[in-house]
Amino acid sequence: MSSTIEPETEFARVPDGFERLWTPHRMAYIQTEKPDQDDDVACPFCAAQTKSDEEALIVHRGQTCFVILNLFPYNPGHLLVCPDRHVPGYLDLTDEETAEFTLLTKQAMRAITAAAAPHGFNLGMNQGEVAGAGVAAHLHQHVVPRWGGDANFLPIVAQTKALPELLADTRARLADAWRQD
């Protein structure tokens, strides 16, 4: 019995009942060689501090910590609170840094609430690569706004999140709300 194998060029022409959501912007992250983040020169959070707020998507700079938009957000307005210093863990913070880190987390929640009226928040830190930290060498806390119904079928079925707003627009809106707090 002989079997015929279809050429792969024909697959795209066969209707299969699936809708396609193209996210070519994700390819930049997938194909980028990940730098050694133990080196503060290669660290994206250390590099962001040398750029303008608009270019780096920094929403607020404090005395020892800063707040920046996540480049790959779970939801619009997903912020990261980071110490200025390149340290990997929460226990590495000084008392002064810990106080500001906590204060900026609260201020981030207030700014997001003023700008976008979320129904709730997810807050969290992943300490170390094994815990899921994408940038394990530089501590950061996630502040993720949540709305009822914000988790639809796309993340579950397609591992894709649809975001309705450009990062620069989100940064501007949150920076304005921060100044009004």
Side-chain angles (χ1 to χ4, degrees):
M1 176 167 158
S2 100
S3 66
T4 305
I5 298 176
E6 295 176 86
E8 64 185 67
T9 56
E10 297 298 314
F11 291 161
R13 294 185 181 97
V14 178
D16 59 8
F18 289 102
E19 294 290 328
R20 303 298 194 271
L21 179 62
W22 301 104
T23 57
H25 63 280
R26 295 279 303 151
M27 192 54 72
Y29 177 74
I30 292 167
Q31 291 181 334
T32 300
E33 184 175 328
K34 306 304 183 269
D36 177 6
Q37 295 165 359
D38 287 335
D39 174 7
D40 63 352
V41 174
C43 172
F45 299 133
C46 291
Q49 295 177 73
T50 67
K51 300 174 182 175
S52 72
D53 291 354
E54 290 78 15
E55 182 183 7
L57 299 173
I58 292 175
V59 174
H60 177 78
R61 293 179 195 252
Q63 296 299 309
T64 64
C65 300
F66 66 99
V67 181
I68 187 169
L69 279 175
N70 189 325
L71 286 178
F72 302 97
Y74 298 134
N75 272 341
H78 179 169
L79 295 175
L80 303 172
V81 180
C82 308
D84 293 343
R85 285 190 316 125
H86 186 80
V87 296
Y90 189 70
L91 297 176
D92 298 317
L93 295 178
T94 65
D95 290 344
E96 179 186 10
E97 289 168 328
T98 302
E100 187 172 40
F101 194 82
T102 301
L103 176 65
L104 291 184
T105 299
K106 290 172 68 173
Q107 289 177 345
M109 293 174 69
R110 285 187 189 110
I112 294 169
T113 297
H119 301 140
F121 287 92
N122 289 123
L123 302 176
M125 289 183 260
N126 301 325
Q127 296 282 278
E129 279 186 48
V130 71
V135 181
H138 196 132
L139 177 68
H140 56 284
Q141 173 155 276
H142 296 260
V143 180
V144 183
R146 300 300 306 269
W147 292 268
D150 69 9
N152 59 26
F153 71 94
L154 285 174
I156 297 163
V157 174
Q159 288 100 28
T160 301
K161 184 75 177 183
L163 300 168
E165 183 174 53
L166 295 172
L167 290 175
D169 295 341
T170 303
R171 193 216 75 80
R173 194 164 43 85
L174 291 173
D176 288 344
W178 202 292
R179 285 189 280 273
Q180 295 173 17
D181 185 31

